Amino acid sequence: MERVCFVLRVRPERIAEYRERHAAVWPEMRAALTEAGWRNYSLFLRPDGLLVGYLETDDFAAAQAAMDATEVNARWQREMGDLFEAEALDGRRPDEAMAPLDEVFHLA
């Protein structure tokens, strides 16, 4: 199992909207994530817009590819893209800009 942690940055003026959208994630998006192998997925948001994500999966590259193949993910990424700081995305969709951090310590 892979434990994956990543950071992105939400535009400070869009934080309330980001929170609202994640309070009501589409059921088909939740189902797609589950079917693609995303488990124990959490997002943490700091007041300045720093977003930290964590998930567990058997194969992160395969889980990303499985989501990339879904129509619901394409719609979600289009709707969410404007909420992130442009330089954090560097022209990519939010899910493409999720660069995993190196794990340096884990207490099981």
Side-chain angles (χ1 to χ4, degrees), residues 1-4 37 39-40 54-60 103 106:
M1 176 192 63
E2 290 183 55
R3 289 185 306 277
V4 179
R39 297 184 306 275
N40 203 21
Y54 173 84
L55 66 114
E56 296 170 352
T57 186
D58 294 327
D59 180 335
F60 186 51
E103 182 175 327
H106 175 75

Side-chain angles (χ1 to χ4, degrees), residues 62-94:
Q64 281 186 301
M67 284 305 294
D68 193 44
T70 66
E71 180 277 332
V72 68
N73 186 60
R75 273 191 295 129
W76 183 264
Q77 298 307 318
R78 276 193 307 274
E79 292 204 14
M80 297 301 291
D82 289 344
L83 301 181
F84 292 91
E85 291 185 356
E87 55 275 0
L89 299 181
D90 194 28
R92 299 169 291 174
R93 297 183 323 226

Side-chain angles (χ1 to χ4, degrees), residues 8-70:
L8 288 170
R9 188 161 293 277
V10 176
R11 295 168 60 184
E13 69 275 13
R14 306 290 296 270
I15 288 174
E17 184 178 357
Y18 185 90
R19 288 181 180 279
E20 288 171 16
R21 290 190 188 189
H22 280 83
V25 174
W26 308 329
E28 62 269 31
M29 182 62 170
R30 296 172 69 100
L33 287 163
T34 299
E35 290 168 15
W38 297 55
R39 297 184 306 275
N40 203 21
Y41 184 24
S42 297
L43 296 170
F44 302 89
L45 184 60
R46 210 165 62 178
D48 67 355
L50 178 67
L51 179 73
V52 177
Y54 173 84
L55 66 114
E56 296 170 352
T57 186
D58 294 327
D59 180 335
F60 186 51
Q64 281 186 301
M67 284 305 294
D68 193 44
T70 66

